[in-house]
Each structure stands twice: as C-alpha cells, then as structure tokens.
Amino acid sequence: MTEAPPPHTGDLSGNAARSRTGRKAKVDSTLLPEILQFPSHFQKEEILLKDLSRTRLPYTCQRVLVLGGKPDGERIVRKLLEEPDRYDVLGIFDDRWRRLQGLHHSVPVLGNIDDMITFCRNDLPDIIIVATFDAGRERLRTMIRKIIVLPVNIYLAMDSQQADSPDEAKQDDGNIVLLPLSRVPLEGRNLAFKWVEDKIFAFLFITLLSPVMLGIALLIKIDSKGPVFFIQNRYGFNNKVIKVFKFRTMHVSGTDFSGAQRTVRNDPRVTRVGRYLRNFSLDELPQFFNVLFGNMSIVGPRAHAMAMRVNDELYEKVIDCYSARHKVKPGITGLAQIMGYRGEIKTKESAKKRIDYDLYYITHWSLWLDIKIIFKSMYIVLFKRDNAF
C-alpha cells in the first residue's frame, strides 16, 4: 500500500452537498481547531437555507438543532418550521442562554453549548446550524471548537451581508447562506457499503478462524487461572461506551480494566500464552463479534480504553478535539496502525500523529482504502511485529 498523504491535506466536510449557491465563501482558518484544519476546508461552496433539504435523500425528515437564539436563530427556526415534513426542529441552544429567558421562541430553549453536547451524545440530530450573525471571532471559535467533534452535519449561517448576497435575496429568510463546517463522514450509500463490508468480513473471519479461537480458549484455560475473555469498556461511536472483547493475555491479578497502565515490553503481567497471542495480535480475534454485533467496524480508529494515557496524561487532555476520532465506529485495525503507530505510544508527538491518521482516515474513507488497510494489516501481523508485545 502506498503511504497516505500527510494528515491535514483532506476535506473535513466529506462529500460536497448537491444544492449550492454556486459561489465560494472563505472560512476563517482561526475558527477551527488546529488538528481539524484541512486546506480545502477554507474554500467551501455555500448552501441556501431553502435548499438544505436537497442535501439529503428525498422524503426524509431531518432532525435539526439550532445554536443561537433570538433574533438570528429564531429566523432560521421559523423558516424550517414552514416545512414540517422535511425538518423536525428539536430545539435551540445558546452559549448565552440566560439572556433568552423570558423571550418567546418557536421551539424550546434547551440550554447552553455543554447541554447541547450532552443532548447530542444521547440523541444525535442530523444537522446543527450555528446562527449567531453578530458573534465575534473568538466567541464563534469557542462555540465551533466545542461542537466540531460531533458526528453531525454542521453549518455556519450567515446573513445576506456577510455572504454578499444579491439585493433581491436580502428580504427572503430562505436565502440565508449556510456554510458547511463539518460533514458526517459516512451516510447514505457509503454507510450502506461500510455496513455490508463489516458484516461480510466479520462473518468470513469468524467462520474461518473459529477452530483457531477454540484452540486459543483451551490454551488460556490450561495456562493460567481466570476467564478466557477480557472485556473492557472503551470509547465507541459518538463517545458511547462499548464493551470490547479480547482473549485474556494477563494474569487476573494484573488485569487493568481501566487501561490506565500501559503494557510494556516483557511486561510481567502477561501470561506465557498471552505473550504469543499479543505478538501475533490473536488476542484481538473476539472483536470480530463486536463487528458482527454492530458496535465496531473492521477498519476504523482503534477503540481506546477510557483511561488511556500518554506520558501519564489522558489522551483527551493531551490532544485538542480528541473525540473527533469517534465520528465513526472504532475498528479492529486502522490507518494509524499500518502507518507505524501500533502498540505503545510514548510521546505526545506520537499520540498526536496517531490521531492525525485517524482523522485523515475519517475524512478520506473509501471502500478501496478499507481493503488496502485490511491486507496491509495482515502483512504486518505476519511479518512486521516490532511493536506487538
């Protein structure tokens, strides 16, 4: 497989929307977190509010949240409510939501930005529209930085003067311009392709490797006391906590369910059988059942333990917008692993590089890329196991 281009050379927004004004609008690079800045992100085609429904499959109702209350957010809400068969406006959030108390809105005001994040983690909408036309750069940057990690389509609304619209469009709220800030990586046909790929490969590997897995289970029981499987809570899609299956490779007394303690070379906690399993990544085989059950993919950013650390600091403290890697399901293998960031990560620079490749994968997904990663992973497991221990 040819080496992937350096991270930050892709388009965070994914596939371009089909309905546009035909004009370009430049995104201020300072509005986006550094780790999520891609050159092509700063020159995006505009979408008119009245044409937003055309960016989705026909006859589907899109669930929308608006970030910003009166007057700007309310204008957008009222326009969307004119088409109840196309939009379900769930509510308004505002970073200064207390100022909205006592003001009438067409939909409920549900809280501040942190409340919006919590809402989306539990009940993911299709679209978020940021509607604060008069917000200063720093305020806007703070808002975008918080929500950009969510796996939803995010648009920045601009009034006609900001978008330099024709005079005849300025009286029509339908001609409010929306600038795509972030697009769902996998939706529509691509999501269906990914689902089929996962199910086919998971079923195939489980069928072919079931005798091997039975043999491994027997060896684990003979070698040391304890269960055959190690089940650990890890981050899944949209920061959901999922239970990831592995063959147990450590003595029960040394098991770390939190993931805070890194496994090092010649780690005394690892059993005799576990050493061989980890060397050939055979301890990961039960994760094909995770894929079959639907909470993991064959290829994707690796599922990290919730207390995973680098230099004794949590990943989310070290890496800005770390949870953006959770915009897709975690994978058994991924682009970072085949690019040399497999196993122990000792420095913050290496941790950032690993996340860079995760984000590059998310924004450049293709079926062909997944196939190449799968076969390159098999080659590495068989012939290049330097960081497996």
Side-chain angles (χ1 to χ4, degrees):
M1 174 181 173
T2 58
E3 182 164 338
H8 304 330
T9 61
D11 181 358
L12 181 67
S13 67
N15 295 329
R18 291 173 291 180
S19 178
R20 307 182 176 107
T21 67
R23 290 178 288 109
K24 295 277 189 177
K26 187 163 183 165
V27 181
D28 185 345
S29 63
T30 63
L31 295 179
L32 301 173
E34 181 182 354
I35 197 170
L36 293 175
Q37 289 182 8
F38 296 88
S40 59
H41 199 144
F42 306 133
Q43 193 73 21
K44 302 302 300 177
E45 291 190 1
E46 302 167 357
I47 302 171
L48 293 179
L49 178 62
K50 66 181 181 180
D51 295 328
L52 182 60
S53 62
R54 299 181 190 175
T55 65
R56 297 280 288 185
L57 295 174
Y59 310 114
T60 59
C61 184
Q62 300 181 87
R63 304 170 73 247
V64 183
L65 290 177
V66 175
L67 178 54
K70 277 190 172 180
D72 307 323
E74 177 66 9
R75 284 176 61 192
I76 289 175
V77 167
R78 289 183 178 180
K79 188 64 182 178
L80 296 178
L81 290 177
E82 292 177 5
E83 301 181 90
D85 57 328
R86 293 185 175 181
Y87 304 107
D88 178 12
V89 185
L90 305 175
I92 288 173
F93 292 86
D94 197 294
D95 62 323
R96 301 174 180 177
W97 68 280
R98 293 188 184 279
R99 72 177 178 85
L100 303 181
Q101 293 180 348
L103 298 177
H104 173 74
H105 287 80
S106 302
V107 295
V109 177
L110 301 176
N112 58 26
I113 297 183
D114 291 333
D115 296 324
M116 173 181 268
I117 300 296
T118 301
F119 183 98
C120 292
R121 295 305 188 195
N122 294 304
D123 187 13
L124 197 63
D126 298 305
I127 295 172
I128 293 175
I129 299 176
V130 181
T132 51
F133 298 163
D134 61 349
R137 176 182 296 178
E138 195 56 38
R139 179 186 169 202
L140 196 58
R141 184 182 186 277
T142 299
M143 290 190 292
I144 292 173
R145 181 184 177 277
K146 287 187 175 183
I147 66 173
I148 200 76
V149 299
L150 294 169
V152 301
N153 295 321
I154 301 176
Y155 297 91
L156 175 63
M158 299 182 292
D159 64 19
S160 54
Q161 291 183 345
Q162 287 175 303
D164 194 25
S165 297
D167 291 338
E168 61 269 18
K170 294 181 180 180
Q171 304 303 318
D172 185 358
D173 284 347
N175 286 323
I176 289 175
V177 171
L178 302 179
L179 187 64
L181 292 179
S182 179
R183 297 285 294 167
V184 174
L186 291 170
E187 58 181 348
R189 183 177 60 181
N190 286 343
L191 183 61
F193 285 158
K194 182 73 166 174
W195 185 89
V196 171
E197 171 202 328
D198 285 338
K199 300 307 179 185
I200 290 176
F201 275 105
F203 182 78
L204 180 64
F205 281 120
I206 289 172
T207 302
L208 293 177
L209 297 174
S210 56
V212 176
M213 288 191 275
L214 288 172
I216 289 172
L218 181 61
L219 288 174
I220 291 172
K221 293 300 292 184
I222 293 173
D223 182 55
S224 61
K225 294 181 179 179
V228 168
F229 297 107
F230 171 64
I231 303 175
Q232 187 178 50
N233 287 339
R234 298 192 180 188
Y235 284 120
F237 173 70
N238 194 27
N239 265 34
K240 299 285 188 182
V241 177
I242 62 173
K243 294 189 180 298
V244 174
F245 307 138
K246 297 182 68 175
F247 282 122
R248 180 176 61 84
T249 59
M250 294 186 177
H251 297 286
V252 173
S253 59
T255 300
D256 175 25
F257 287 98
S258 71
Q261 187 175 355
R262 295 199 312 266
T263 305
V264 298
R265 196 177 296 277
N266 300 318
D267 197 313
R269 298 176 296 161
V270 179
T271 65
R272 291 173 299 174
V273 169
R275 209 167 300 281
Y276 288 101
L277 296 180
R278 298 178 75 93
N279 191 33
F280 287 93
S281 296
L282 294 174
D283 57 321
E284 312 279 358
L285 293 183
Q287 289 173 33
F288 287 116
F289 288 99
N290 281 109
V291 177
L292 202 61
F293 297 156
N295 52 26
M296 286 184 65
S297 287
I298 299 293
V299 181
R302 289 282 289 141
H304 284 180
M306 299 176 66
M308 192 167 176
R309 297 171 182 268
V310 57
N311 282 359
D312 294 324
E313 292 184 74
L314 291 172
Y315 256 78
E316 50 259 52
K317 302 296 183 183
V318 173
I319 308 296
D320 190 27
C321 295
Y322 163 79
S323 62
R325 70 190 299 274
H326 303 145
K327 288 188 175 187
V328 297
K329 292 179 184 179
I332 297 177
T333 187
L335 181 61
Q337 283 61 50
I338 68 167
M339 299 308 295
Y341 293 90
R342 176 180 180 231
E344 185 181 14
I345 295 294
K346 298 180 179 179
T347 67
K348 294 180 180 180
E349 291 73 22
S350 295
K352 184 176 182 298
K353 197 74 172 178
R354 174 187 271 182
I355 304 303
D356 282 345
Y357 278 114
D358 289 339
L359 298 177
Y360 181 90
Y361 168 81
I362 290 172
T363 57
H364 290 77
W365 178 88
S366 71
L367 190 59
W368 178 235
L369 178 59
D370 273 5
I371 299 299
K372 289 193 287 186
I373 291 173
I374 290 170
F375 282 98
K376 184 64 179 287
S377 298
M378 294 169 65
Y379 172 81
I380 290 173
V381 166
L382 292 174
F383 302 110
K384 296 179 66 175
R385 303 186 302 277
D386 297 341
N387 291 330
F389 47 81

